[in-house]
Amino acid sequence: MGKEKTKIRLRGHHLFCSNVMDVDGDPIYSARFCANFRKYQQMMADPSQAIEVVCTCGDTCRYCPSWNEQDGKCRLYDYPPNANRIDLEMLEALSLSVGDEITSGELKQRIKGRFGTTLPAMCSWACGFESVLHCSQGQRKL
Ligand code: SF4
Ligand code: SF4
């Protein structure tokens, strides 16, 4: 029997970010955070890689200074006011819900179809990292 591939668990907005962020050179948080993030991006290079949508922190949040290991929530995005707004907006845009599964290949197609080469609104209201992560460039390469 073949070895089953590990499913990646991602929160809503990381479905987008993980497809466009360039974390080479460890530009944010810590080398450990970036190395972990790259590991999942490499797995997602396989279009058949399965991804499960989770409601709070997923695999790519590990080692972030805002990751609350006790309850699995993000100190920036998962508490009121605006708890989970960033994720819910992205899930709506991609026609996905918490608990859904999607392959990496299908996810890329949905991102291209929904956003084209224009960054989502969250990149302006919720995040200040575009200039160091070159997300716009990454989006054009999808
Ligand atoms: S800031 Fe929050 S959502 Fe972003 S990586 Fe850290 S824990 Fe995850
Ligand atoms: S700018 Fe921020 S929110 Fe937008 S894709 Fe990059 S990391 Fe994600």
Side-chain angles (χ1 to χ4, degrees):
M1 199 162 40
K3 195 176 163 217
E4 205 180 316
K5 267 194 270 184
T6 310
K7 207 187 304 172
I8 301 177
R9 299 167 68 257
L10 292 183
R11 58 181 307 145
H13 74 283
H14 278 199
L15 294 168
F16 183 91
C17 302
S18 59
N19 273 290
V20 302
M21 277 168 58
D22 176 6
V23 284
D24 283 350
D26 307 332
I28 55 168
Y29 301 146
S30 68
R32 197 178 185 204
F33 169 84
C34 292
N36 180 67
F37 209 102
R38 280 194 297 275
K39 179 177 99 176
Y40 290 102
Q41 287 178 313
Q42 281 154 12
M43 289 166 72
M44 287 167 65
D46 174 353
S48 69
Q49 171 65 54
I51 297 165
E52 178 186 354
V53 180
V54 295
C55 62
T56 53
C57 286
D59 293 326
T60 44
C61 289
R62 218 163 287 144
Y63 314 124
C64 175
S66 297
W67 174 49
N68 185 347
E69 208 174 336
Q70 309 308 315
D71 61 6
K73 291 185 179 180
C74 168
R75 294 184 179 91
L76 294 182
Y77 299 129
D78 289 335
Y79 300 94
N82 288 329
N84 293 108
R85 177 183 159 197
I86 188 170
D87 297 296
L88 295 174
E89 284 188 5
M90 180 53 63
L91 292 179
E92 190 181 355
L94 296 175
S95 303
L96 287 167
S97 303
V98 170
D100 283 353
E101 280 190 35
I102 188 167
T103 64
S104 179
E106 168 64 17
L107 175 59
K108 280 191 177 61
Q109 289 309 315
R110 282 202 204 186
I111 289 172
K112 282 199 274 190
R114 172 62 182 83
F115 295 106
T117 54
T118 306
L119 285 172
M122 68 176 182
C123 301
S124 343
W125 70 259
C127 178
F129 286 138
E130 205 285 322
S131 60
V132 289
L133 298 174
H134 313 297
C135 304
S136 202
Q137 259 174 268
Q139 187 175 4
R140 286 196 294 274
K141 288 186 207 152
L142 276 180

